[in-house]
Amino acid sequence: MALAAYLPGLAIAGPAVKEPAGYWMGASHGPVTTTLSGGTVIHTRKLAALLQAGGVLVIDVSDAPRRPANMAADAVWLPLPHPVIPGALWIPGAGQGAIAAPVDKLYREHLALGTDNDPAHRLVIYCHRNCWLSWNAAKRAISYGYRNVYWFPDGMEGWRAAGQPTASAEPLLP
Amino acid sequence: MGVTRRLAPVLVLGTLAVLGRSAATCAEDDSQAIMRAHAAEDAAERAARWQELQHAIFGARSLQDGAAVIQIEAPEHALDAALVPITLTMKSAAPIKSLYLVIDNNPAPVAGHFTFGPRADPRTVKLRVRVNQYTFIHAVAETPDGKLYVSQHFVKMSGGCSAPAGANDAEALKDVGLMKLHLLGPFSPGKPLQAQLMIRHPNFNGMQMDPMTRDYTPARFIRTIDASYDGAAVFHLDADISLSTDPVITFGFLPDKKGTMQLVVRDSSNALFNHSFDVPAG
């Protein structure tokens, strides 16, 4: 529709970001690029259709809240339940610019398990809108040898805004 | 594309943003019915969240509508979600014993609990907080007889909880505990006076990454602030990770005569910072 043509420039404050050659090492939240070399950028409607067709492993790489050490014992700590695209695995940390070795191992293992070791299996990686973590994690999956990697930059915000269903998930941590 | 043609979508976006939606995707899936259904679902979720928090914070105590008691001011969109200025104003002269600031969708929702002492003028309190998601903010005023009055305000910003505190950890910890106090009006014995307290402290919340080392910075945040005037309490603040880096707190007090404002700040590593300021200054 006509309105959509105006929106990319408005949704992202400032000029579009050029795709980095390596991993994004800046702040994870902020204007993102619109392309992913070696992968496919997908938006809500096409993603819904892709999931309908099946045979897709979906990974959410959003950060998980961590209760800080030394918080008062009686302080209220109540993170919101974490909504994911139904069936998605939540692997916080997999989208950091420099990934910690234990998270790298965990990420590889879950990808291998979820794809039956098939590098042609379709992967969808997402986090939030304006979030680089999913871009990094998608780039990383491509570097592992996966050939059908989709990056979903609309994130959970876009998914929910489209009225798509969600489920609750617990984070997979090393 | 002309300037005038850009205006219309801006207005539409303003409307969509009220519903807490992503602008980019609303255009792709613009069914009004879905939007309405979703807004209702969100409203129900937000109400349920507040119910849950109310129970966690206040137990079985009942809260009354505080629209006539306390007002919350916050910018509609802050430039920086890690630095959102909040102003709490008492709308009546009724005495207030304590004041809670709750940011519903933050993982540690109780951003601050002020308990006022005999030298306090609690009519206006300002502070700067981190906001993680689109969220309701609730302010709860407690009167001396134990009644609780609640007001709410919706803010639309996100990302404040994992924003880096500064250039790097070492830089952020430089001069930690340094304080400044500005009196915001002329000193006159017996007249209430507003003061602005600035504390140098990174208030690391444990979810930020050091841009240099790329490791999560361990949490280190201000837990309590005690302000007293010539030994009589002005306020005690129980704070948490939702306070911004380098907290700035504006509060009122009642100086009966020239004296000394003493501030004691304790952080989660048990470091104690102690400063005294002459009132009036100099």
Side-chain angles (χ1 to χ4, degrees), chain B:
Chain B
M1 176 188 318
V3 170
T4 45
R5 292 185 64 200
R6 276 184 172 271
L7 286 175
V10 172
L11 295 174
V12 172
L13 289 184
T15 314
L16 296 179
V18 170
L19 301 171
R21 295 281 148 248
S22 143
T25 48
C26 285
E28 185 181 322
D29 303 271
D30 59 344
S31 154
Q32 290 298 313
I34 287 178
M35 294 296 293
R36 274 198 300 275
H38 219 83
E41 188 185 308
D42 276 5
E45 275 177 22
R46 291 192 175 109
R49 172 69 173 177
W50 174 239
Q51 287 296 318
E52 182 188 25
L53 293 181
Q54 211 176 303
H55 183 76
I57 302 164
F58 302 105
R61 298 171 71 185
S62 69
L63 276 69
Q64 305 180 37
D65 179 5
V69 177
I70 182 167
Q71 181 184 332
I72 308 169
E73 283 169 84
E76 183 140 344
H77 290 279
L79 286 175
D80 185 347
L83 267 180
V84 180
I86 306 277
T87 302
L88 305 176
T89 310
M90 302 309 130
K91 296 176 82 175
S92 75
I96 299 296
K97 181 171 120 188
S98 87
L99 186 57
Y100 295 82
L101 177 64
V102 181
I103 304 169
D104 289 23
N105 289 354
N106 278 8
V110 185
H113 178 209
F114 288 90
T115 308
F116 298 109
R119 282 275 153 240
D121 169 30
R123 283 176 297 180
T124 302
V125 173
K126 296 182 189 181
L127 63 177
R128 305 192 305 186
V129 296
R130 297 172 170 140
V131 176
N132 199 31
Q133 315 197 13
Y134 282 27
T135 184
F136 268 116
I137 288 178
H138 283 91
V140 178
E142 182 183 29
T143 55
D145 59 2
K147 288 204 176 84
L148 298 167
Y149 294 92
V150 61
S151 286
Q152 67 178 34
H153 187 87
F154 193 71
V155 293
K156 293 172 280 192
M157 43 204 88
S158 60
C161 294
S162 52
N168 58 60
D169 291 1
E171 182 69 21
L173 279 165
K174 202 177 151 219
D175 297 329
V176 63
L178 200 73
M179 289 182 223
K180 285 183 186 169
L181 187 78
H182 290 305
L183 301 178
L184 302 179
F187 167 79
S188 172
K191 291 263 176 66
L193 185 55
Q194 286 272 302
Q196 185 186 54
L197 169 66
M198 291 183 277
I199 309 167
R200 181 94 172 114
H201 198 292
N203 232 44
F204 290 133
N205 63 10
M207 295 173 224
Q208 297 141 319
M209 187 160 289
D210 185 330
M212 302 301 284
T213 66
R214 311 217 169 270
D215 284 331
Y216 285 104
T217 303
R220 183 176 173 183
F221 53 96
I222 292 175
R223 290 222 348 212
T224 61
I225 301 175
D226 282 281
S228 57
Y229 192 71
D230 286 349
V234 177
F235 70 82
H236 168 85
L237 172 63
D238 288 303
D240 217 316
I241 56 172
S242 295
L243 272 195
S244 298
T245 297
D246 296 334
V248 177
I249 295 166
T250 304
F251 61 94
F253 68 110
L254 284 166
D256 50 337
K257 56 183 186 337
K258 286 188 179 181
T260 305
M261 178 71 72
Q262 193 185 29
L263 289 146
V264 181
V265 174
R266 188 184 291 276
D267 78 9
S268 60
S269 69
N270 260 329
L272 201 63
F273 308 105
N274 216 313
H275 282 263
S276 290
F277 299 92
D278 288 339
V279 177

Side-chain angles (χ1 to χ4, degrees), chain A:
Chain A
M1 57 174 282
L3 188 57
Y6 297 95
L7 286 166
L10 289 166
I12 300 167
V17 180
K18 192 167 163 275
E19 181 176 348
Y23 292 107
W24 174 261
M25 306 302 271
S28 59
H29 188 91
V32 291
T33 187
T34 54
T35 54
L36 172 67
S37 297
T40 308
V41 178
I42 192 169
H43 294 287
T44 309
R45 196 165 297 184
K46 284 194 174 145
L47 175 56
L50 190 71
L51 296 182
Q52 201 85 51
V56 185
L57 176 62
V58 186
I59 310 278
D60 174 2
V61 295
S62 306
D63 276 335
R66 306 161 352 134
R67 184 182 173 116
N70 304 326
M71 234 172 121
D74 59 349
V76 177
W77 176 255
L78 269 178
L80 287 173
H82 184 75
V84 295
I85 294 173
L89 303 179
W90 182 21
I91 310 181
Q96 294 300 340
I99 194 170
V103 182
D104 186 61
K105 184 167 175 283
L106 183 89
Y107 188 35
R108 285 174 189 271
E109 283 170 358
H110 278 289
L111 291 182
L113 206 63
T115 61
D116 283 330
N117 276 314
D118 174 10
H121 195 97
R122 286 191 287 262
L123 296 177
V124 172
I125 321 262
Y126 78 97
C127 48
H128 297 283
R129 189 166 57 88
N130 286 338
C131 171
W132 280 97
L133 298 174
S134 51
W135 187 87
N136 276 343
K139 190 176 182 67
R140 188 162 282 130
I142 293 165
S143 81
Y144 294 163
Y146 291 96
R147 298 196 294 268
N148 285 305
V149 176
Y150 294 85
W151 174 44
F152 176 51
D154 302 346
M156 179 43 63
E157 290 76 13
W159 186 252
R160 295 193 66 184
Q164 296 289 347
T166 61
S168 274
E170 294 297 321
L172 297 166
L173 301 167

